[in-house]
Amino acid sequence: MTFDPPPGEPGSTAADDLLPRKFFDRPVDEVAPDLLGHVLVHGDVAVRLTEVEAYAGPLDPASHAYRGLTPRTEVMFGPPGHAYVYFTYGMHFCVNLVCGEEGTASAVLLRAGQITAGADTARERRPKSTERDLARGPARLCTALAIGREQNGLDVCSPESPLLIIEGDPADPSLIRSGPRTGVNGAKDTPWRFWIDGDPTVSPYRAHVPRKRNPPA
DNA sequence: TTCGAGATCGGCT
DNA sequence: GCCGATCTCGAAG
C-alpha cells in the first residue's frame, strides 16, 4: 500500500479548497455523511475521513451537550465549522466538528480516516501502528494529527487556521453505510454512525461495555 | 480473530 | 466520588 504524495507544500492549501462554512450550517445528520471523503489537515499530516458519528446537541442523551452549556461544551454551542476537542478516559483526545446554527450544539465526531499525506510524521507519532491503524479510531486519529487541547475551538473553515478541512474525493454515495453509534450508552438505536463500506480504515464496531469496577474488599 | 480487563483523569452530580 | 463518544495488551480458540 502506498500513499499519494502531498498535493503541495505544507501550508499552501488554496482557500477555495476549503469546505465553506455553509457546509457545516446544516442539520448534523446531513453534514455527517457528506463529510466522508473530505480531508482534515493539521501541519503536514492529512487524513481522508472514512468514518464519522453525529451528535445532536442538548436533545441527544449521547451528546456531551445533553447536560447543557458548561465550560467544556462551550465550543459546541458556538458557530458551525469549529473544532470541539475533548479529553476522555484520562488519556485520549477526540475531535468533533460543530454543525448547525449557533446554539444548536450539534457536532460530528471524526472516528477514523486514511492518511493521505504526512504518513511518516504520523508513523513517528504512532510507531506501533500498522499503516491502516494510524488513524483508525477517534483517539488514534487525534494522535496521528497531533490534535490536543490547543486545537479546541479552532475554525476549520478559515485559511489562517492550523487545522483545516479541505475538499477531498467525496465518498461514492452507494458505499455510504449507517448504523448504531459506537461506545455510546444512551440512544444506541439512532443510526448516526456513517462510514464508507469496505474501507479498511473503518474501526470495528464494538457495543458499549460498561467498565468493570473493582469489587469492594 | 475475538474477548476481557486495566490504565488514568477531567467533568459533573 | 463516579463515570466515560477509548486503546492496548495478553490469553484463548
Side-chain angles (χ1 to χ4, degrees):
Chain A
M1 158 137 186
T2 58
F3 290 97
D4 294 330
E9 293 301 309
S12 68
T13 309
D16 26 295
D17 288 339
L18 290 177
L19 289 183
R21 191 170 317 281
K22 65 181 182 194
F23 179 94
F24 294 98
D25 195 0
R26 293 183 290 150
V28 66
D29 55 323
E30 287 181 24
V31 176
D34 284 358
L35 266 175
L36 295 173
H38 294 305
V39 178
L40 186 68
V41 184
H42 187 226
D44 62 350
V45 179
V47 171
R48 178 174 184 257
L49 301 174
T50 59
E51 183 186 357
V52 298
E53 276 178 11
Y55 288 86
L59 299 178
D60 181 352
S63 170
H64 285 177
Y66 185 57
R67 298 181 194 284
L69 177 62
T70 68
R72 177 169 71 146
T73 58
E74 192 179 358
V75 172
M76 290 182 92
F77 285 84
H82 289 248
Y84 165 54
V85 181
Y86 68 90
F87 183 64
T88 190
Y89 288 93
M91 58 188 97
H92 299 302
F93 288 102
C94 299
V95 62
N96 298 248
L97 299 179
V98 178
C99 299
E101 285 177 42
E102 184 166 351
T104 55
S106 55
V108 178
L109 170 68
L110 309 184
R111 288 196 55 87
Q114 180 184 14
I115 309 281
T116 59
D120 290 341
T121 306
R123 255 193 300 270
E124 283 171 23
R125 291 170 182 155
R126 303 193 46 82
K128 290 183 184 170
S129 285
T130 61
E131 303 261 333
R132 93 169 176 168
D133 281 350
L134 280 173
R136 189 180 188 226
R140 296 172 185 178
L141 184 143
C142 281
T143 305
L145 284 166
I147 290 175
R149 233 182 290 279
E150 300 76 27
Q151 281 68 44
N152 187 38
L154 286 181
D155 181 357
V156 299
C157 300
S158 163
E160 329 276 297
S161 170
L163 182 67
L164 296 170
I165 184 97
I166 64 172
E167 199 167 339
D169 269 342
D172 181 340
S174 69
L175 292 181
I176 295 180
R177 298 285 180 273
S178 66
R181 291 175 290 189
T182 306
V184 173
N185 218 349
K188 57 178 66 129
D189 294 329
T190 311
W192 274 6
R193 172 178 172 248
F194 301 93
W195 69 94
I196 300 178
D197 194 34
D199 192 291
T201 60
V202 172
S203 60
Y205 174 74
R206 291 165 79 142
H208 179 78
V209 219
R211 186 176 58 153
K212 282 223 175 110
R213 315 228 134 249
N214 289 332

